[in-house]
Amino acid sequence: MKIKNICCIGAGYVGGPTMAVIAQQCPDINVVVVDINEARIAAWNDADLNNLPIFEPGLDAIVKEARNRNLFFSTDVEKAITNAEMIFISVNTPTKTYGKGKGMAADLKYIELCARQIAKVAKQDKIIVEKSTLPVRTASAIKSILDNSGNKASFQILSNPEFLAEGTAVQDLLHPDRVLIGGDTSPEGEKAIQALVDVYAQWVPKNRILTTNVWSSELSKLTANAFLAQRVSSINAMSEICEKTGADVNEVAKAIGMDTRIGPKFLKASVGFGGSCFQKDILNLVYIAKSYGLDEVANYWEQVVLMNNHQKQRFSDHIVKTLYNTVSGKKITLLGWAFKKDTNDTRESAAIQVADNLLSEQAHVVVYDPKVASERIYADLEYLNTRLPEQNRQLLTVEKDPYKACKNAHAIAVLTEWDEFTTYNWQAIFDAMEKPAFVFDGRGILNQQEMEDIGFIYYKIGSQRPNFMQSN
Ligand code: UDX
Ligand code: ADP
């Protein structure tokens, strides 16, 4: 079976870049990305590529090449479903905020709505591809809805989890470590798997395309994210020990990373991991383990998230303690709001919790991020519901100029590792700050010696604290 028309439901951080790359690499496949969010689709269609709803290095050039050639963005969901032989589901699956599994299980409401819509519209056989991260065995729920509420069309469900990391999405899609495709072991299932293999094989070497059964594929995605997040929590746990013992977490990371069994990647201590996947996927895993009565397994993985929460909390506690136990009325500048560099995504960013903690201490928080819009920042805080929205707006200011953001600040906290932060004129920033001038580097990106030579009291996560801070 040769695929000529693909529909992708959901034009977000996963659907948008993934489909742009498929369209660019497969000029003979027509790709339509649909979303119910009209503003988002309008932004994808904006003639000015600076207005794309997602910032990813290299994405604008790919959209420019493929858009209106064989890549289309539309709100006409039904038409796109009707015309496609293969439908990717890339809608959001946030953690449930209500009912059973609240705060743990994935909310599958959007997935179910998609399945029902496909069932209602589809009159011909279709291959449905799960792209969103889903709990294990979601495929059977989708299949049950499709088989029981539709027009007697037949459906094959494939799991094809996304491993792209934001900020490097385009490179990850063009040169994936592997593409994972899980499907049914029946002859029809194998045909569907092959159809999707053929799409990827147009640019991915065959030995990197891995096929499995559908449950292994679904669980592999959760497992990969759990292992990655665990590495970050492990090095962050070490960062706290380093600060007490005089070891330096970067030196420790280098030393252990040279062991080929451990490897050097994903060992950067930070103020805490963020992003839409890590916490959600681990909580999901915890929920699945608990639901099978595997309490020890559940507790083991939950600790990764608890350690991450602790890392964020201890970072903001340390700021407060160092500033003589009060930040009330003091200007504290946060450099970075995105959960990592080179993205405008802020979901679960450590900055949100750090800012919220400082606001509760009545600090005057000022935020500068090169890519995140001010409304996003206020919306992130409002979502926490710690105080009234107007209080957030009173206490927190968003600046577009980093030097202005830092002027008269008592302290600066680096929360995202944007490259531009390392190129600033730190002497000029120091001169314009209140003294003593503190920098809390939650990403370990600034040069300690240079910062101290300028006169800053400089704290880098995972290094021994300056004498002044020892008691904190
Ligand atoms: C992750 C997975 O990497 C990706 O495969 C999956 O598809 C989605 O989830 P993403 O969340 O986009 O991708 O970014 P990632 O690079 O994994 O970073 C996640 C968080 O961990 C960020 O906040 C990052 O700053 C933090 N991190 C990462 C560290 O603090 N230290 C590290 O060494 C690596
Ligand atoms: P992700 O990071 O998984 O891509 P996003 O939240 O960025 O998540 O994107 C998911 C997109 O899916 C959103 O733009 C949302 O409007 C869209 N969406 C959710 N449900 C539906 C639906 N039933 N039909 C079409 N689009 C949907």
Side-chain angles (χ1 to χ4, degrees):
M1 181 200 280
K2 189 152 170 35
I3 302 298
K4 290 209 162 328
N5 295 285
I6 287 177
C7 157
C8 172
I9 307 181
Y13 283 89
V14 171
T18 309
M19 292 303 126
V21 169
I22 290 184
Q24 188 217 24
Q25 295 294 323
C26 310
D28 52 344
I29 300 180
N30 208 50
V31 179
V32 182
V33 191
V34 291
D35 204 296
I36 40 177
N37 182 335
E38 287 181 12
R40 209 165 215 192
I41 291 298
W44 279 111
N45 282 321
D46 200 307
D48 182 352
L49 291 163
N50 291 316
N51 294 337
L52 293 184
I54 284 165
F55 170 72
E56 273 293 338
L59 181 61
D60 47 357
I62 290 183
V63 170
K64 187 171 177 211
E65 182 185 335
R67 195 172 61 183
N68 298 330
R69 177 190 75 183
N70 64 327
L71 173 67
F72 302 91
F73 296 93
S74 162
T75 50
D76 193 342
V77 182
E78 295 202 352
K79 185 171 162 205
I81 292 175
T82 306
N83 291 341
E85 301 99 42
M86 182 176 270
I87 301 169
F88 285 76
I89 303 185
S90 303
V91 302
N92 33 336
T93 49
T95 303
K96 267 184 95 173
T97 52
Y98 54 89
K100 196 159 182 270
K102 179 180 170 183
M104 286 260 165
D107 191 342
L108 296 180
K109 155 171 94 179
Y110 304 105
I111 296 281
E112 177 165 347
L113 283 172
C114 281
R116 289 191 184 279
Q117 189 159 24
I118 295 169
K120 191 179 92 188
V121 175
K123 300 212 165 49
Q124 276 135 14
D125 299 352
K126 311 235 178 245
I127 300 171
I128 312 298
V129 185
E130 298 175 348
K131 206 48 166 151
S132 323
T133 307
L134 297 165
V136 189
R137 303 205 75 87
T138 306
S140 64
I142 296 179
K143 181 131 182 72
S144 157
I145 293 167
L146 289 170
D147 287 350
N148 292 301
S149 58
N151 299 303
K152 300 283 166 281
S154 120
F155 298 96
Q156 278 301 319
I157 321 288
L158 300 180
S159 158
N160 172 219
E162 192 47 76
F163 293 108
L164 66 82
E166 288 176 28
T168 53
V170 169
Q171 286 311 310
D172 294 346
L173 285 161
L174 288 173
H175 311 286
D177 288 348
R178 79 314 205 175
V179 168
L180 179 59
I181 301 173
D184 200 71
T185 44
S186 64
E188 295 76 29
E190 273 166 16
K191 254 196 247 163
I193 292 175
Q194 193 55 45
L196 186 53
V197 168
D198 291 342
V199 172
Y200 283 108
Q202 296 198 42
W203 80 96
V204 180
K206 281 240 164 80
N207 60 359
R208 294 200 173 197
I209 305 179
L210 190 66
T211 58
T212 65
N213 82 31
V214 76
W215 320 126
S216 302
S217 171
E218 286 181 338
L219 188 59
S220 298
K221 166 76 182 192
L222 295 186
T223 309
N225 278 343
F227 271 57
L228 290 169
Q230 181 197 41
R231 266 173 89 92
V232 178
S233 274
S234 297
I235 200 71
N236 282 345
M238 291 304 153
S239 76
E240 194 169 6
I241 295 188
C242 287
E243 288 172 26
K244 298 285 179 206
T245 56
D248 182 312
V249 77
N250 292 314
E251 291 178 352
V252 172
K254 189 167 179 194
I256 64 165
M258 287 172 79
D259 185 325
T260 50
R261 292 168 303 176
I262 296 175
K265 293 184 183 166
F266 251 74
L267 288 177
K268 183 84 190 134
S270 68
V271 55
F273 62 72
S276 69
C277 283
F278 281 0
Q279 174 166 310
K280 182 183 78 177
D281 287 357
I282 291 178
L283 293 178
N284 210 328
L285 204 58
V286 170
Y287 185 73
I288 293 168
K290 276 194 179 146
S291 65
Y292 286 112
L294 308 177
D295 290 345
E296 289 77 7
V297 177
N299 294 342
Y300 175 76
W301 285 110
E302 191 169 17
Q303 202 56 39
V304 173
V305 172
L306 297 179
M307 183 64 223
N308 197 48
N309 292 341
H310 168 69
Q311 187 78 346
K312 294 183 262 187
Q313 184 69 47
R314 84 176 181 89
F315 188 82
S316 54
D317 285 351
H318 179 50
I319 295 178
V320 176
K321 277 190 197 158
T322 306
L323 296 187
Y324 316 103
N325 283 315
T326 176
V327 290
S328 177
K330 290 181 183 166
K331 176 168 170 177
I332 301 182
T333 303
L334 307 186
L335 291 182
W337 190 266
F339 79 96
K340 62 188 282 199
K341 74 172 180 179
D342 291 341
T343 178
N344 60 347
D345 194 351
T346 66
R347 286 176 288 180
E348 305 294 343
S349 177
I352 304 170
Q353 199 55 56
V354 170
D356 197 60
N357 294 346
L358 294 172
L359 292 173
S360 294
E361 294 290 334
Q362 299 182 344
H364 171 210
V365 176
V366 177
V367 181
Y368 167 77
D369 186 288
K371 289 289 173 198
V372 179
S374 60
E375 284 316 303
R376 180 73 261 151
I377 293 173
Y378 290 121
D380 288 338
L381 285 170
E382 273 170 38
Y383 186 76
L384 293 184
N385 220 357
T386 313
R387 63 193 73 72
L388 295 172
E390 51 270 31
Q391 291 174 315
N392 285 329
R393 283 169 194 267
Q394 260 166 18
L395 285 167
L396 183 141
T397 317
V398 181
E399 287 288 357
K400 287 201 160 72
D401 173 49
Y403 292 92
K404 201 167 163 212
C406 296
K407 194 171 174 205
N408 297 331
H410 289 258
I412 294 171
V414 178
L415 299 184
T416 312
E417 74 281 26
W418 287 104
D419 291 338
E420 66 170 61
F421 298 162
T422 61
T423 66
Y424 288 172
N425 180 346
W426 283 97
Q427 180 68 55
I429 291 175
F430 176 81
D431 293 343
M433 280 176 71
E434 297 292 329
K435 305 296 174 327
F438 296 91
V439 169
F440 298 87
D441 187 350
R443 294 290 186 162
I445 54 169
L446 300 174
N447 184 305
Q448 176 144 9
Q449 195 59 54
E450 283 173 20
M451 296 301 279
E452 285 174 356
D453 288 349
I454 291 172
F456 285 108
I457 297 179
Y458 175 75
Y459 157 76
K460 184 187 265 205
I461 199 123
S463 315
Q464 198 167 29
R465 299 172 181 187
N467 280 341
F468 168 79
M469 299 180 186
Q470 284 301 339
S471 56
N472 291 310

